[in-house]
Amino acid sequence: MLKARVIPCLDVDRGRIVKGVNFIDLVDAGDPVEQAKIYDEAGADELCFLDITATHENRDTIYEVVRQTAEQCFMPLTVGGGVRTIEDIRKLLLAGADKVSINTTAVHDPEFVRIAANKFGSQCIVVAVDAKSNSLGGQEVFTHGGRKPTGINAIEWAERMAEYGAGEILLTSMDRDGTKKGFNIPLTRSIADSINIPVIASGGVGTLDHMVEGIIEGHAAAVLAASIFHFGIYSIGEAKAYMAESGVPIRLTRVVKE
Amino acid sequence: MSIAIVDYGSGNLRSVEKALQRVVDEANSVEKVFITRDAALVAKADRIVLPGVGAFADCQSGLFSLDGMVDALREAVQMRGQPFLGICVGMQLLANRGLEYGSTPGLSWISGDVVRITPADKSLKVPHMGWNQLVFKENSHPVLEGLPESAHVYFVHSFALRCHISSDVIASVNYGNNITAVVGRDNVIGTQFHPEKSQMNGIKILSNFIKWTP
C-alpha cells in the first residue's frame, strides 16, 4: 500500500543551512548537501529545501545546492522559496529538483499555476498554502511568511489550486508554525477531505505523536518537519519507527551505519 | 560501450544520468553514460534509457518531433535488440496509445493503453504519489533480481499502462486496483516508478539493467 511520507525540510540562505544543526559526524554542519545525505541515508521519504535568500543576485547558490544534492541523493527533492517565473522552475528542475513549491506568486497570479502545471506536469507543481486564523474566525491565506493577509479563504484556495493543476498542497498553519504544539488538525483535515490531491501537513511539530496525528486525524498524505530533525531531537528513523508502531503506514528502511 | 539517455525536452535527465553513472562506477564498468538528442548516437548505443515526466501527449510530441529519433529507437531496440529501459512516461510511451488529453499514438512496442487511474476507494488521491510496494509475478526478471520482497519504490503518476497481454506485466502495485508497475518483453523493460528516486532499491534496478544481457 501507499505509505505516508516523512519529509525533512531545510531552510537555506545563500547556500547555507540557517537553523542550527548539531550533528557531530557532519564535516560541515551548515552545508545543506551534507545534511541532505544524512537524511537520505536515514530513510527520509523526500527532502525539501526552502530557499530564504532575500536577494535575487544570491539565488544562483540554490541551484548549486540542488545540483550537488541531486548528484548524491537518489530521493525526491522539492525546492521552494522565491519561485516567480517559468524560468525559475525550469532552472530548478534542470538542476535536479523534482518538484517546486509556489506560494506568493500563485496568490498574485493564479494562472501561473495553470501554466506551470501544463508546461511541466502537475506532478512537479506544489502549491504552498500559508494559512492563519483571522478575526472572523476563518482560515485565511497569508503571504510573505505570514505577514500579509490576502482575504482569501484557505480551503477555497486549496480547492482552486487543485483545479488549476497543482499536484500537491503544502499546508502550513502559521498559527502553529514554531510553536511545537502540533499541526492544526481541523484545518488539515478540512482541506485534505475537500481535494483529491495529496496534502503535506506542516507547521507546529514538537513531538512524534504530532506527526502521527497529522496523518491519522488530519488525513494528510505526508508530514513535513524542520526543527525536530535539525536539532537532533529525533532522528528520521525514530520518527518513522514510532509512526509505524502507532498504526501509520510507513516505509521502514534498514539504516546503514558506517 | 555506451548508455544513451534520450533527451526530448522532458524529464529530470540529470537525476537519471547521475544514478546511472553511480551504478556504472560501482560496477567498475567503462560504459559511457550520456544524454543526447542525436538520433544517430541513439541508433548506435549499446543501451538506451527513455525517461519522461509530465503529460503523455507532450512527451510523445517531444519524442516524435526529434528528427529520426523514433526510427533510431526502432533500429537499436527492435532490430539490433539492445537493452532498453523506459521510466515513467518513458515507459508509458511503449503503449499503443495514451488517453491523456485526447488520444495520442505511442511506440506500440507493448500492447496496451495509457489510462487515468481511477481508484475504487475515493479517499485515494490522484496522482498516486509516494512510496508503494511492488507485487512481483512468479517468474522473476533479471532487472528485478535481488530486490527485497514487496520492495518500496517511488511513484508519481496519474495515468497508468493497461496491458492487453498479461505476460507483458512483470510487476504491479496496489492502489485501490492493481496498476502496472513494470512491463517487459524481450530486451525491453519499463518502470512506472522512478528508479532514480527510489534510493537503494532503485539503484539495484539500474545496476541490474546495466548488466542485463537479454
Side-chain angles (χ1 to χ4, degrees), chain A residues 31-236:
Chain A
D31 179 2
V33 183
E34 283 280 318
Q35 188 59 50
K37 277 163 68 182
I38 300 265
Y39 286 152
D40 188 26
E41 281 157 20
D45 296 309
E46 288 185 23
L47 182 68
C48 180
F49 283 138
L50 183 61
D51 182 22
I52 59 167
T53 305
T55 60
H56 213 73
E57 299 80 72
N58 284 319
R59 291 262 314 157
D60 283 349
T61 55
I62 193 69
Y63 301 123
E64 193 48 37
V65 168
V66 172
R67 204 167 287 129
Q68 287 179 29
T69 302
E71 279 178 18
Q72 300 173 61
C73 298
F74 301 105
M75 68 195 301
L77 175 63
T78 302
V79 184
V83 175
R84 293 183 184 90
T85 65
I86 291 294
E87 182 62 13
D88 290 341
I89 299 176
R90 201 184 66 85
K91 279 161 94 171
L92 284 169
L93 296 179
L94 283 178
D98 298 285
K99 312 180 201 178
V100 296
S101 163
I102 305 169
N103 187 348
T104 304
T105 305
V107 173
H108 289 164
D109 178 15
E111 282 298 321
F112 179 71
V113 171
R114 204 196 293 272
I115 295 165
N118 277 335
K119 189 160 181 67
F120 302 106
S122 292
Q123 84 291 333
C124 69
I125 304 299
V126 181
V127 172
V129 177
D130 289 350
K132 196 164 148 180
S133 46
N134 59 21
S135 54
L136 301 170
Q139 285 287 333
E140 184 174 338
V141 175
F142 277 67
T143 59
H144 298 84
R147 291 191 304 275
K148 287 197 181 174
T150 62
I152 303 169
N153 175 278
I155 298 169
E156 287 166 17
W157 178 242
E159 287 171 348
R160 187 168 167 207
M161 288 296 94
E163 190 187 309
Y164 277 34
E168 227 172 1
I169 297 290
L170 168 55
L171 174 68
T172 303
S173 164
M174 301 309 291
D175 297 319
R176 294 302 182 96
D177 205 23
T179 64
K180 299 190 166 43
K181 287 182 180 167
F183 298 118
N184 182 331
I185 295 296
L187 172 69
T188 307
R189 187 174 184 143
S190 305
I191 292 185
D193 288 353
S194 66
I195 57 179
N196 191 33
I197 57 173
V199 170
I200 306 167
S202 155
V205 172
T207 68
L208 299 183
D209 280 315
H210 292 154
M211 303 184 79
V212 174
E213 285 163 17
I215 306 289
I216 304 261
E217 290 167 38
H219 295 178
V223 288
L224 181 137
S227 53
I228 70 159
F229 297 134
H230 285 318
F231 297 114
I233 302 166
Y234 297 106
S235 69
I236 301 276

Side-chain angles (χ1 to χ4, degrees), chain A residues 3 46 71 98 192 195, chain B residues 14 125 131 133 154 197 199:
Chain A
K3 300 303 192 291
E46 288 185 23
E71 279 178 18
D98 298 285
I195 57 179
Chain B
R14 192 176 173 83
K125 311 280 187 177
W131 296 83
Q133 290 166 292
Y154 189 83
K197 292 290 161 189
Q199 292 175 340

